[in-house]
Amino acid sequence: MNIGKSVAFLRNKHAQQAWLALVIVWACFRAFAINKFFGDHNVNPWGYLLVDLASSIPYALYSSRAVISFLDKAWAQLRRYVILSAIFFYMPDVYVFIFARTVPTSLYLGFVVTIIIFSILAIISLKRDAKKD
């Protein structure tokens, strides 16, 4: 298949490494935010960072592979990569839900709204990248 120039970079190892670096920086930023908002509610920011970093690497790889699978019309691979991307995307949030204690309802609600917003942004981003072909 003739992959569009705008997403051809996904096949480039250097671009994948740059994407991975950005994901890791984002994980560090999120750990800082989690410490600020959930640090007093039994959520260990170092544990969160570890889970986030451990899940960010597979998420970055599987989400880029999902776009490539879509472009290649490899539907079985696409389904597998979308499922794996979702699992690793939500893993850090599940960590917060498991360990957070005595959290005010407004903080939980804000956290859930944030999860929904970032979920929508991730879906839009994947669709946009796939449609650039």
Side-chain angles (χ1 to χ4, degrees):
M1 165 157 199
N2 181 17
I3 190 167
K5 290 180 183 177
S6 58
V7 292
F9 74 93
L10 291 174
R11 296 191 192 273
N12 181 298
K13 289 287 186 198
H14 293 295
Q16 290 175 358
Q17 290 169 347
W19 172 246
L20 192 55
L22 289 172
V23 168
I24 291 170
V25 168
W26 178 243
C28 292
F29 172 77
R30 285 176 20 138
F32 175 79
I34 288 296
N35 185 45
K36 176 149 178 57
F37 292 106
F38 289 96
D40 292 337
H41 302 287
N42 203 43
V43 177
N44 182 333
W46 296 109
Y48 177 85
L49 179 62
L50 187 63
V51 169
D52 202 1
L53 287 174
S55 66
S56 293
I57 294 167
Y59 171 72
L61 297 173
Y62 290 131
S63 62
S64 65
R65 288 178 184 169
V67 171
I68 292 170
S69 296
F70 176 82
L71 294 171
D72 290 344
K73 295 183 180 11
W75 307 122
Q77 286 181 337
L78 174 63
R79 281 189 290 278
R80 183 176 69 225
Y81 291 140
V82 166
I83 290 168
L84 288 168
S85 293
I87 289 169
F88 288 107
F89 182 81
Y90 291 113
M91 194 176 289
D93 302 324
V94 170
Y95 176 87
V96 172
F97 285 122
I98 290 171
F99 289 102
R101 301 287 184 259
T102 64
V103 177
T105 304
S106 60
L107 184 57
Y108 259 135
L109 182 60
F111 186 63
V112 170
V113 168
T114 302
I115 291 170
I116 291 169
I117 290 170
F118 281 107
S119 296
I120 292 169
L121 290 174
I123 291 167
I124 290 170
S125 176
L126 286 172
K127 283 184 174 184
R128 184 192 66 228
D129 289 345
K131 288 181 180 179
K132 286 182 180 178
D133 180 36

